[in-house]
Structure formats: C-alpha cells, structure tokens
Amino acid sequence: MPVPTQSNSIFSQLEAFGHKKVVFCSDPETGLKAIIAIHDTTLGPALGGTRMWAYKTEEDALYDVLRLSKSMTYKSAIAGLNLGGGKAVIIGDAHKDKSEALLRKFGRFIKNLNGEFITAEDVGTNPRDMEFIRMETQYVMGVPESIGGSGDPSPITALGVLMGIKASVKEYYGSDSLTGKSVIVQGTGRVGENLVKLLREENAKVYASDINDDAVQNIAKKYGAQAISNNSIFDIDADIYAPCALGATINSQTIKKLKCNIIAGSANNQLEDEQVHGRMLLEKGVLFAPDYVINAGGIINCYSELMGFSKKRTMQLTENIYEATRNVLKLSKAENISTTEAANKIAEKRISDIRKVKSTY
Ligand code: NAD
C-alpha cells in the first residue's frame, strides 16, 4: 500500500490512499463531529467500525480514518467477502461526550448514504451504541444477539487467529499440530482469553501476559497457562508470538530481540512500519502472518449478520483463514517478498478481477 503522510493536503491524501468518498458529519446541537471514509466499494458496500476517540487534532482523526478504511478494503478482499472498505471516527471522549442523541444523529448521516457504508462497533463504541444507531438506520451490524445481531465477535476472531497460527506452523515446521509448540499471548482481553483457551485445547504451551496482573493470573490458572511479565516477552524462547493487545509492537528494537520463529496474533497494525519491518522479518527468517489476514473473524461475523448466515456458516468462513494464510505465505516464499506485500498483492488482484467482472455484463 502507498504510504501517504499526514502533512499532505486533504485531497492529496485522498488521492494517495485511493478513497472513493469522505463525508464530514457536523451537528453542533448534539456535539457530533465525525468523519466517514469510504475507501472502495468494488466488492460490495463499505463495512467498517465506528471508532470514538479524543483525537488531539482533526488532522489526526482524518489520517486515522483514511488509513483504517483502506485496510478494511484489503481485509474483506482477502477474506473472500463481498464487502468494500470503510471506517468512521467520532471525535470525542467516549466516556464523557457520548449520548443517545449524538449517536442517533450519526446514524442519520449513515442512513443518508443509502447502504454505501455499513458500520459496527470499534474502539470506544459498543453494542449498546449500535442499538442507538439502529434506531435511525438499518445499516449497522454488531447489535446484541438479543435483538437479532451477531453479538461479541471475539470468539470468532480468536478462532481465525488460531487458523492463522496453524497455517503458519504448517509452513514453518511442516505439520500444523500445535502439540508441544509454545506460544506467547500478549494481551488476555476478549480475543486473547479465547485464544489462550483454544491453544490449550490444541495442547500448546501458553505464556500469557497483560498489563492487568490480576486478569492474567486468573486466566493462567483457568486454562493451565503460565503468566509472564509484559517486559519478558522478547526474552522468552517460544515458537510463536501472538500480539493480542496493541499495534506497533514489532519495530526495529523488538525485532532485534525477538526469539520466536512465528508472529501471528489479533492486534491491528502490528508492524510499526509495514514495509521496513516486514522486510526485516523476512531477512531474519521470522514468519509473520499479516494481522489483517488472520484477524478477519470480526468482519466475517458482521458479514454473516448482514447476510443472515448461520453460526455454522460463520465458522466455515472463519476456518477459510487457514487457506488464505497458506496462500499468502506461499506467495511470499515464491517471490521473496514480505508476507504483507504478498497479502496486499492477493487482495489487490481480487479487487481488480472483480472490477473487470462488474464493468461487463
Ligand atoms: P481488549 O481491550 O478486550 O483486550 C486487550 C487486552 O490487552 C486488555 O486485557 C489490556 O489490558 C491488554 N493490554 C493493553 N496494553 C497492553 C500491553 N502493553 N501489554 C500487554 N497487554 C496489554 O481488546 P480485544 O477485543 O481483545 O482486541 C485485542 C486486539 O485485537 C486489538 O488490537 C483489536 O484491535 C484487535 N482485534 C480485535 C477484534 C475483536 O473481535 N475483538 C477483531 C479484530 C482485531
């Protein structure tokens, strides 16, 4: 993906990222300030979460929504979904500035896009907020199961990450069995806890870390994992490192220290710099399963809700992440390119192929 910078003008950023449409939503009465970015709709409506965050500047908010919406295009494309990429940000403190009126006003902006953009929860928003948006528009997924939604996507996301880990283990060790393999799970929140559970069911040895000491001790006891301090992650000689907390944990300093052979986790944007650090991992012989390929369970869950799929079909689509990861790793090896470059190539090819289909009849 080209790497535009935040210092570019608004229109040159849009051009560099390749966006189709960006909508600025302002409503002084409710205090709503939001940006909806629709990156690409070749494959279908743009689906992406709404993030509420107290951005320092409006430029930061714009840059974030452009970057995130573009990666949604790639995530859905490689997962084989008929969805385009979009994202929205609401500028504000989710603890102080959120209200029913603000969310419903935001819902009306989404309604006016007539299905070109469909949203769901993200950082700073939750299923209850989606219910308020649903009061104004049908174009919102991730509403609670009690009102017909798909509920918490985290168990599905964890299953997809497990598929990505198994495909990576197959590529690196020749068999996808996790028996006896050791995995460091960084972040034992909603996805991390589910992943620890799945890994233990596969007889992997699990080291778990979190900044919340009590939570990690409880999870370690519950599933038979070993709790470790967050500072020791890069000192442990494990087979796999699964980042399930924050982005950018893989950078020039941590790559030097890293002892694991495989990196595969749920956190978004794990590489501080996609190109530089993707290449460094390739040269060091560390297999990196691109985050957007293996953490697609959440978007698959939303897609299923949109299509009215059964839980069984959702699980099947999520299990396909194994094959999608294998394809990325094979292309990376065949062309000696980073796994992220390989994933981007596969996603871009699917979009351009389908664009040709749609331009004919
Ligand atoms: P969460 O907030 O439930 O859990 C995150 C956990 O990480 C928390 O327990 C937190 O204490 C811990 N943490 C924060 N900083 C840490 C640090 N420096 N070191 C160790 N632990 C730290 O979030 P989640 O829903 O489990 O998501 C985890 C990651 O996966 C996020 O990056 C998210 O964007 C990504 N993701 C989640 C989903 C999903 O379905 N929930 C889907 C796709 C991607």
Side-chain angles (χ1 to χ4, degrees):
M1 289 187 233
V3 195
T5 67
Q6 208 175 331
S7 54
N8 294 141
S9 77
I10 292 178
F11 283 102
S12 52
Q13 282 188 67
L14 299 194
E15 203 179 310
F17 277 113
H19 276 75
K20 178 180 175 187
K21 187 184 283 184
V22 177
V23 180
F24 289 83
C25 318
S26 166
D27 182 57
E29 270 188 283
T30 58
L32 176 72
K33 279 186 189 171
I35 311 172
I36 299 171
I38 298 172
H39 177 255
D40 192 284
T41 54
T42 307
L43 300 176
L47 199 152
T50 293
R51 179 167 292 194
M52 184 159 187
W53 194 254
Y55 291 98
K56 279 201 187 113
T57 67
E58 290 170 5
E59 287 76 16
D60 287 352
L62 177 66
Y63 187 73
D64 208 28
V65 78
L66 294 180
R67 188 178 63 86
L68 293 167
S69 52
K70 177 162 184 169
S71 52
M72 290 309 295
T73 299
Y74 282 69
K75 186 182 287 204
S76 287
I78 206 151
L81 309 179
N82 288 326
L83 290 175
K87 197 90 182 179
V89 294
I90 298 177
I91 302 172
D93 183 331
H95 299 292
K96 291 194 294 204
D97 303 328
K98 209 191 269 179
S99 66
E100 177 183 349
L102 178 144
L103 290 162
R104 291 182 67 165
K105 191 75 199 182
F106 177 62
R108 295 198 73 83
F109 278 97
I110 295 176
K111 181 184 163 83
N112 289 341
L113 289 165
N114 295 316
E116 200 178 14
F117 174 68
I118 303 168
T119 203
E121 64 177 298
D122 196 74
V123 178
T125 59
N126 56 43
R128 178 76 183 125
D129 300 333
M130 298 306 116
E131 270 190 83
F132 288 132
I133 296 172
R134 173 64 66 88
M135 289 172 191
E136 302 300 328
T137 175
Q138 72 198 89
Y139 298 116
V140 53
M141 300 296 126
V143 294
E145 277 177 298
S146 56
I147 56 165
S150 56
D152 179 12
S154 310
I156 303 289
T157 302
L159 175 66
V161 173
L162 179 76
M163 293 298 118
I165 290 177
K166 284 177 79 78
S168 306
V169 167
K170 169 88 179 157
E171 181 70 25
Y172 199 93
Y173 297 101
S175 151
D176 65 13
S177 167
L178 296 182
T179 303
K181 294 282 178 290
S182 49
V183 189
I184 301 168
V185 177
Q186 181 185 31
T188 51
R190 289 171 303 173
V191 179
E193 176 173 356
N194 281 292
L195 183 62
V196 170
K197 176 172 174 279
L198 294 172
L199 289 167
R200 291 295 298 132
E201 285 166 6
E202 297 268 337
N203 297 315
K205 176 170 178 49
V206 177
Y207 298 99
S209 94
D210 200 287
I211 44 168
N212 181 339
D213 269 343
D214 290 343
V216 76
Q217 292 293 347
N218 285 339
I219 283 163
K221 202 186 264 176
K222 191 168 165 190
Y223 301 106
Q226 184 179 331
I228 55 164
S229 103
N230 203 34
N231 303 331
S232 60
I233 283 178
F234 297 101
D235 301 326
I236 291 180
D237 202 353
D239 295 292
I240 301 141
Y241 163 47
C244 296
L246 307 170
T249 58
I250 300 152
N251 51 50
S252 303
Q253 281 77 40
T254 56
I255 291 174
K256 273 190 213 135
K257 291 205 256 166
L258 190 73
K259 294 198 173 98
C260 299
N261 297 325
I262 293 170
I263 301 172
S266 73
N268 282 311
N269 306 314
Q270 290 165 27
L271 303 182
E272 192 179 88
D273 183 311
E274 193 177 289
Q275 284 173 358
V276 174
H277 300 123
R279 195 76 218 166
M280 275 177 81
L281 290 172
L282 183 70
E283 281 159 13
K284 189 170 169 167
V286 175
L287 192 160
F288 173 62
D291 38 52
Y292 78 77
V293 179
I294 74 166
N295 74 9
I299 189 86
I300 290 172
N301 210 45
C302 287
Y303 183 64
S304 290
E305 183 176 336
L306 181 68
M307 305 301 283
F309 288 158
S310 64
K311 204 83 182 168
K312 193 171 164 206
R313 179 79 182 123
T314 310
M315 302 293 265
Q316 285 167 345
L317 286 172
T318 308
E319 281 161 10
N320 291 347
I321 289 176
Y322 182 94
E323 221 37 59
T325 310
R326 295 273 294 147
N327 292 338
V328 168
L329 301 180
K330 278 185 205 150
L331 183 65
S332 156
K333 199 170 179 179
E335 297 195 3
N336 192 31
I337 53 178
S338 75
T339 51
T340 316
E341 284 173 282
N344 292 349
K345 257 186 141 172
I346 295 172
E348 282 163 9
K349 179 165 185 329
R350 177 163 182 246
I351 296 166
S352 85
D353 285 353
I354 303 307
R355 191 171 285 134
K356 282 178 217 148
V357 172
K358 292 199 171 176
S359 65
T360 55
Y361 59 96

